Amino acid sequence: MRLAIVADACLPTADDWSRNPRTLAEGLTGLGHEVTLLATASGAPTAADHTGRHARAMLSPCGADTGTALTLLRPGCDTVLSLGTGAPTAAAVLAATLGIPLAVFLPPRLFDADPPPAGYGRLLCRHLPAAMLIAESRRQLATARHHGADPHRVFVVPPGIDVGPPPAPGGRGDDGRLRLLVDATGIAAQEQRFLAEVLATLAAGRHRIHTTVLGDATTGHLWDGRPDTAVLTPPDTATLAGLYHDADVILVPGGGDRTVALLRAMAAGRALLAADSPAVQDTVGTTRNGMLARAGDPHEWVDKLDYLLDGHALRLHLGRGARLHAETHHSLAQTLRELDTRLVSLAASWRYPEPAGS
């Protein structure tokens, strides 16, 4: 089957993540499809947007330059797949021009708030001429239906990540300290300061801990001068996997779309404490594969961290549950197979047999 993926140029670039357009294109190609990847100019493109095995072009988010895309697509393209917040309009224009079905990944940020904002969500769910809408969870599915989506064209395809081989059991480091990993990538400065104060309160007690903070160029000064704290900006996914596997407890603060960080923690088989929100609840089930704490409540964060650091058996229990959940529901291979099944069914339902004698 021939697919065109229209994606925002500014989507997250984690190369082990199913919502990365390049990972999606490579995975679907591996399943036997011919994929053309097109980027909308809704964000700053990187050099990689114009290189690699898949043809690419920069499109207007409003679909005004559809001809650019048409020159890259061979005759017989079967389906257009939209990925991102800015891509649906351009993808819809392209699909309508070619007379082929459109599949739209509903942007998860639409569903971060509870209830989500109605305007754009209603446009995608009710008015966009899509043949298939793809939600990330049952909550998003229910919300899409609430906004007017046809129940027969909305499906759940959970996001997937490369879970890797089973992790080794966790334990204290050689110096006897417990190791905390904080994924602060893309987190607002105010939220990072809040968590830094929580960890300072914890370290002032009886626990011996060492904290590693994952961040970007703006993160370091927020953690300056804090003892037993290292700030890193890992250059690649392999380094990230090692850091997650070395941790005893992984903290995922902040709101927004934190699914990549959550699934990395779960795939590592480590105890997880995350900020409570509807979007996080789509992935983390309290007491089964992680723990949740209310954002901005320092007492709850300290209490739950203290509980986790005290309980080696509890950490093992949560880590095993997290790993099982990641393997069962969020492996990259499983996500690609589920998406493949949906897209093949969509293309088949769009083709009607020619009348006899035509």
Side-chain angles (χ1 to χ4, degrees):
M1 190 166 72
R2 292 174 178 171
L3 302 171
I5 298 178
V6 180
D8 292 359
C10 58
L11 285 174
T13 56
D15 58 7
D16 56 347
W17 171 237
S18 68
R19 297 312 192 248
N20 176 352
R22 298 174 197 85
T23 302
L24 198 61
E26 294 292 343
L28 290 172
T29 299
L31 292 174
H33 302 290
E34 182 181 306
V35 180
T36 299
L37 180 57
L38 308 165
T40 65
S42 56
T46 64
D49 287 315
H50 305 289
T51 61
R53 62 185 294 185
H54 303 286
R56 295 178 175 88
M58 295 301 293
L59 303 179
S60 163
C62 64
D65 50 1
T66 306
T68 304
L70 293 176
T71 61
L72 290 172
L73 299 177
R74 297 178 182 178
C77 186
D78 296 289
T79 303
V80 177
L81 180 61
S82 168
L83 189 63
T85 305
T89 306
V93 171
L94 184 59
T97 303
L98 294 171
I100 59 178
L102 169 67
V104 176
F105 278 102
L106 292 172
R109 290 180 181 239
L110 286 178
F111 304 93
D112 286 348
D114 193 16
Y120 186 55
R122 186 180 298 116
L123 171 67
L124 290 183
C125 296
R126 184 180 302 177
H127 301 297
L128 191 71
M132 185 169 72
L133 300 173
I134 303 171
E136 292 193 352
S137 68
R138 292 188 179 278
R139 181 181 63 89
Q140 292 182 12
L141 176 81
T143 304
R145 290 176 175 176
H146 175 75
H147 281 314
D150 182 346
H152 302 292
R153 68 184 182 106
V154 189
F155 304 94
V156 176
V157 178
I161 200 164
D162 183 4
V163 297
R172 292 179 183 267
D174 294 337
D175 57 4
R177 293 182 295 180
L178 287 166
R179 295 156 297 187
L180 303 185
L181 180 66
V182 179
D183 193 323
T185 308
I187 295 301
Q190 181 179 356
E191 293 171 325
Q192 292 192 48
R193 291 191 187 98
F194 164 80
L195 191 57
E197 293 306 316
V198 166
L199 295 179
T201 301
L202 198 70
R206 54 194 168 77
H207 295 293
R208 298 183 61 210
I209 59 176
H210 181 273
T211 303
T212 300
V213 182
L214 302 180
D216 49 36
T218 63
T219 302
H221 74 281
L222 298 171
W223 298 83
D224 284 343
R226 299 187 181 272
D228 296 317
T229 301
V231 179
L232 302 176
T233 54
D236 54 49
T237 302
T239 303
L240 274 173
L243 291 170
Y244 274 89
H245 285 135
D246 287 342
D248 295 294
V249 178
I250 298 173
L251 309 181
V252 182
D257 185 10
R258 304 291 287 154
T259 313
V260 179
L262 293 171
L263 291 185
R264 280 198 176 128
M266 298 175 84
R270 297 295 179 252
L272 167 69
L273 178 61
D276 195 0
S277 72
V280 172
Q281 292 170 17
D282 287 339
T283 305
V284 180
T286 304
T287 73
R288 294 192 302 274
N289 48 43
M291 297 180 69
L292 304 177
R294 286 173 294 183
D297 186 335
H299 300 294
E300 184 169 351
W301 279 85
V302 170
D303 286 347
K304 290 191 172 179
L305 268 173
D306 187 63
Y307 186 45
L308 281 173
L309 295 175
D310 265 341
H312 177 68
L314 173 63
R315 295 196 302 272
L316 289 178
H317 165 73
L318 293 177
R320 291 189 188 114
R323 173 69 186 191
L324 179 61
H325 186 81
E327 290 176 333
T328 305
H329 300 287
H330 293 285
S331 74
L332 180 59
Q334 178 175 313
T335 292
L336 291 170
R337 287 194 299 269
E338 176 67 21
L339 181 60
D340 169 64
T341 300
R342 295 294 183 188
L343 293 175
V344 169
S345 175
L346 174 63
S349 67
W350 197 261
R351 302 190 192 98
Y352 295 98
E354 294 291 336
S358 61

